[in-house]
């Protein structure tokens, strides 16, 4: 980062003061909490996390130093405050893909167009000649779940995905939210969510690495024992029938 882009010492100091203020507010909210899921505590928690994250970034940019704070991610949900017996639900899904093999994607879209043309379905033509056009053809032909299960066939590579189930008092009117389908999601009405990300795999691998024997002695002993058992078990298999 260039010197011109660095935050000033005064900005870092102000961010530190904001953390102190957020700490006081969080403690006060905890002391006054009205129950286990007090929204005031949740709000103060988020404000403290945001202030600590801002201070951490400015401190690093200015002084190349970090704090010992671990800022929680945005995947945590606030306490559920929706209807106890919802009359309707909305399922919001986001799946990210990398276009790993554009030629495979184009070839699959061309096959779909050719098949539709032979069957007299659709206008046929060259919509599949570009990557955006090919994506339109494939997602118009296949259900999203089928593309998810066959993504490699379409030259796609899976990335992060998330599924949220939100509760409603009543079903929306037809066409009511089509213009902005993802704008008005109330996190306090999320019944459950399911996330898939490579970052979780990395965390599991780190935990497994920490649990492994660093000396390697146990692993060597295990390999030796397995090798001896293998030799003992292999010979009699043929000898029994002779």
């Amino acid at each position: 980062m260039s010197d011109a882009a660095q935050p000033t010492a005064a900005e870092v100091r102000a961010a530190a003061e904001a953390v102190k203020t957020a700490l006081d507010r969080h403690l006060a909210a905890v002391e006054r909490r009205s129950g286990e899921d007090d929204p005031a505590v949740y709000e103060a928690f988020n404000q403290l996390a945001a202030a600590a994250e801002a201070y951490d970034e400015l401190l690093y940019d200015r002084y190349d130093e970090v704090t010992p704070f671990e800022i929680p991610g945005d995947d945590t949900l606030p306490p559920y405050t929706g209807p106890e017996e919802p009359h309707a639900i909305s399922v919001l899904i986001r799946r990210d893909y990398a276009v790993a093999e554009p030629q495979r994607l184009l070839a699959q879209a061309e096959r779909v167009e050719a098949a539709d043309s032979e069957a007299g379905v659709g206008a046929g033509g060259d919509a599949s000649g570009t990557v955006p056009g090919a994506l339109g053809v494939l997602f118009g032909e296949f259900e999203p779940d089928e593309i998810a299960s066959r993504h490699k066939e379409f030259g796609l590579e899976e990335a992060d995905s998330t599924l949220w189930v939100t509760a409603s008092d009543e079903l929306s009117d037809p066409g009511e939210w089509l213009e902005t389908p993802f704008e008005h999601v109330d996190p306090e009405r999320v019944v459950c969510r399911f996330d898939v990300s490579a970052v979780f795999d990395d965390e599991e691998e780190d935990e497994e690495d920490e649990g492994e024997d660093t000396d390697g002695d146990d692993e060597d002993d295990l390999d030796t024992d397995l090798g001896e058992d293998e030799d003992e078990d292999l010979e009699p298999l043929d000898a029994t029938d002779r």
Side-chain angles (χ1 to χ4, degrees):
M1 176 178 291
S2 66
D3 293 338
Q6 284 185 344
T8 64
E11 288 174 328
V12 179
R13 173 63 60 183
E17 293 299 326
V19 173
K20 296 175 188 177
T21 301
L23 273 169
D24 290 339
R25 288 175 179 168
H26 181 259
L27 178 58
V30 170
E31 291 173 338
R32 296 193 304 266
R33 74 188 311 162
S34 58
E36 185 176 348
D37 296 330
D38 191 330
V41 174
Y42 175 77
E43 183 179 356
F45 174 88
N46 283 340
Q47 290 174 351
L48 175 57
E53 185 173 15
Y55 171 62
D56 190 83
E57 289 178 359
L58 291 173
L59 186 71
Y60 181 79
D61 290 344
R62 175 71 186 180
Y63 299 110
D64 199 24
E65 289 290 343
V66 296
T67 68
F69 307 138
E70 183 177 349
I71 309 302
D74 294 334
D75 57 347
T76 54
L77 290 171
Y80 175 73
T81 60
E84 291 186 8
E85 298 182 5
H87 294 98
I89 61 168
S90 297
V91 180
L92 296 92
I93 301 175
R94 172 172 174 169
R95 295 186 179 117
D96 283 5
Y97 298 94
V99 182
E101 299 179 72
Q103 293 306 317
R104 181 183 291 272
L105 177 74
L106 293 169
Q108 291 283 21
E110 287 171 3
R111 290 192 187 99
V112 170
E113 276 195 332
D116 287 348
S117 180
E118 289 176 6
V121 178
D126 23 347
S128 60
T130 65
V131 169
L135 289 169
V137 169
L138 292 175
F139 277 88
E141 177 72 16
F142 301 102
E143 292 290 333
D145 287 343
E146 184 171 1
I147 289 180
S149 64
R150 300 173 55 189
H151 61 278
K152 290 183 179 179
E153 295 178 36
F154 302 123
L156 303 175
E157 183 178 301
E158 283 185 316
D160 289 358
S161 67
T162 188
L163 182 151
W164 294 31
V165 179
T166 65
S168 306
D169 295 304
E170 57 186 20
L171 201 62
S172 301
D173 293 334
E176 182 179 343
W177 48 258
L178 288 179
E179 289 186 5
T180 54
F182 304 112
E183 257 188 21
H184 308 292
V185 181
D186 184 353
E188 294 188 355
R189 287 192 168 224
V190 175
V191 178
C192 56
R193 64 176 286 179
F194 304 94
D195 300 321
V196 177
S197 174
V199 71
F200 302 138
D201 298 335
D202 294 341
E203 289 173 0
E204 290 175 3
E205 287 175 7
D206 291 341
E207 290 173 1
E208 290 173 2
D209 291 342
E210 289 174 3
E212 288 178 358
D213 178 35
T214 53
D215 297 335
D217 294 341
D218 293 345
E219 189 175 341
D220 292 341
D221 293 342
L222 182 60
D223 289 343
T224 305
D225 294 342
L226 287 174
E228 290 173 357
D229 292 343
E230 239 177 70
D231 292 342
E232 289 176 4
D233 293 341
L234 285 177
E235 240 178 73
L237 289 178
D238 294 334
T240 316
D241 297 331
R242 289 180 182 174

